[in-house]
Amino acid sequence: MVTIALDAMGGDFGPEVVIPAAVHVVKKSTNIHIILVGDETRLRAFAKEQSIDLDKHFEIQHASQVVEMHEDPRLAVRKKKDSSMRVAINMVKEGRAQAIVSAGNTGALMATAKFVLKTLPGIERPAICTTIPSYGGHTHMLDLGANVDSSAQQLLQFAVMGSVLAEAVDNLHKPKVGLLNIGSEDVKGNAQVKEANTFLKNGPFNYIGYVEGDDIYSDKVDVVVCDGFVGNISLKTMEGVAKMISTMMREEFNKSLLSRISGLCAMPVLKRFKKRVDPRMYNGATMLGLTGIVIKSHGSADVLSYANAIEVALLEIEKSVPEHIRHRMEPLLASE
């Protein structure tokens, strides 16, 4: 039986999304036990309103505090020791759960998880990694905002972690790892990227060299490595472009009667396209480098999106991702 702790109060919607998402996952998986962490009165009130029997499917762990979405991460660590986020992370440390999923404040989740769980040997800083839709299915990309400025050595560590993740969850043999740069030539890039390139060439993974922004969506690379500043801007740019295309297509199909008829004819293709790039199916970013599994859901996630984040946690538990990273880091530690 796999146990996952959910920060039931985190995100924009709290229990209203977390509980139905958990029910959705439990119906599909018979070997999962869910611990809902949060205000027990509010959790039970919502469940009763929706005719959900929490005692049958779940366990409730009361937590008296909530980390707000825009709260200072340092204050959350120091003053919110009984928050739903902190209590859920403590459960992973204590062995009561194998993973935590939260849609709460990203900075607070990272700071609290790092403080409670600590990083794996050889990992200086955790990194946020998620999957991006691509021609080949998807690409893993990290870091996406945990570290706005990363050293060349840390980029090497990110590469190790990303390679292990892709190998484990996608069953890839020697996944292709690329370093994000402004060009593919060796002379391009800043000093940090050039130094990291030298390190990555000797890393314990299949390094293919520099990749550019458009390569993220190709089948050329399986793992894209960058610092959190570049990664977060890249991710938000992707999300913005996707929203713009969706809005423009909707406007064009609604411009005239003929356009609406054309839209109806194109609907099967549009639905298949939407399914391939649906961001809800890619929700669930991993905070790699910690001793336990911590999954960050988008704060505005709906039920399907949050359920996917829980599925990501299940897969990483099954594949023992932290242990694989620990083993892959051992040769690097021995060579220092």
Side-chain angles (χ1 to χ4, degrees):
M1 183 67 69
V2 172
T3 301
I4 297 177
L6 304 182
D7 170 12
M9 312 306 292
D12 296 342
F13 308 110
E16 287 75 11
V17 160
V18 175
I19 293 178
V23 170
H24 178 80
V25 174
V26 166
K27 284 181 179 178
K28 295 196 303 178
S29 305
T30 57
N31 67 330
I32 181 174
H33 177 63
I34 298 286
I35 302 177
L36 297 169
V37 185
D39 183 333
E40 184 170 3
T41 300
R42 183 176 166 187
L43 296 178
R44 291 196 179 280
F46 176 78
K48 183 178 181 181
E49 180 184 305
Q50 300 296 316
S51 301
I52 298 171
D53 185 356
L54 292 181
D55 293 324
K56 182 178 180 180
H57 299 290
F58 309 103
E59 175 185 345
I60 295 178
Q61 176 64 54
H62 178 70
S64 62
Q65 297 174 305
V66 177
V67 176
E68 303 299 335
M69 292 300 285
H70 300 292
E71 193 164 345
D72 187 321
R74 293 168 298 181
L75 293 178
V77 173
R78 292 203 311 265
K79 297 187 177 182
K80 294 290 182 74
K81 296 182 180 180
D82 196 45
S83 68
S84 54
M85 180 184 292
R86 177 70 171 268
V87 172
I89 293 172
N90 285 343
M91 287 184 167
V92 176
K93 181 182 180 181
E94 295 161 1
R96 291 181 58 191
Q98 284 83 57
I100 168 199
V101 180
S102 174
N105 181 317
T106 304
L109 182 63
M110 176 60 80
T112 305
K114 186 178 179 183
F115 177 77
V116 173
L117 298 176
K118 313 303 181 189
T119 56
L120 291 164
I123 302 297
E124 297 175 26
R125 298 179 184 176
I128 298 175
C129 182
T130 195
T131 52
I132 309 293
S134 68
Y135 304 145
H138 60 252
T139 303
H140 297 272
M141 187 171 177
L142 73 166
D143 176 31
L144 296 177
N147 310 281
V148 295
D149 188 19
S150 306
S151 68
Q153 187 66 37
Q154 288 160 358
L155 290 174
L156 170 63
Q157 295 164 16
F158 298 167
V160 172
M161 296 191 293
S163 176
V164 169
L165 180 68
E167 191 174 308
V169 302
D170 295 333
N171 298 314
L172 293 176
H173 178 62
K174 294 185 177 180
K176 295 167 287 188
V177 179
L179 180 62
L180 190 61
N181 196 10
I182 59 172
S184 58
E185 301 85 355
D186 282 345
V187 295
K188 291 190 175 180
N190 57 28
Q192 168 211 38
V193 169
K194 289 178 180 178
E195 184 182 6
N197 181 50
T198 302
F199 288 160
L200 267 63
K201 285 179 179 179
N202 300 309
F205 41 77
N206 179 21
Y207 180 55
I208 63 169
Y210 292 140
V211 293
E212 298 181 67
D214 57 341
D215 292 321
I216 297 170
Y217 311 100
S218 73
D219 55 4
K220 175 181 177 180
V221 63
D222 301 306
V223 179
V224 174
V225 177
C226 58
D227 67 30
F229 185 86
V230 172
N232 191 265
I233 291 175
S234 299
L235 181 64
K236 297 296 171 60
T237 301
M238 296 173 203
E239 293 173 348
V241 170
K243 289 178 183 177
M244 180 191 70
I245 292 174
S246 176
T247 301
M248 285 183 170
M249 288 180 65
R250 195 177 297 113
E251 289 175 350
E252 291 300 322
F253 279 124
N254 285 316
K255 274 191 172 180
S256 66
L257 177 60
L258 182 59
S259 296
R260 286 194 286 273
I261 294 172
S262 300
L264 288 173
C265 294
M267 193 60 67
V269 175
L270 293 173
K271 284 184 176 179
R272 290 198 300 271
F273 173 75
K274 181 181 179 181
K275 186 177 181 180
R276 287 182 66 179
V277 299
D278 188 348
R280 296 179 301 171
M281 304 312 295
Y282 295 90
N283 184 48
T286 307
M287 293 189 172
L288 288 176
L290 297 165
T291 59
I293 296 171
V294 178
I295 304 299
K296 173 66 175 72
S297 165
H298 201 291
S300 60
D302 63 9
V303 172
L304 179 61
S305 185
Y306 196 97
N308 193 74
I310 300 174
E311 297 279 5
V312 171
L314 277 171
L315 182 58
E316 292 196 18
I317 293 170
E318 177 189 341
K319 299 295 185 177
S320 303
V321 170
E323 283 306 306
H324 282 298
I325 293 174
R326 185 192 298 273
H327 293 320
R328 191 67 62 84
M329 287 298 299
E330 286 175 354
L332 291 179
L333 290 171
S335 64
E336 291 181 355

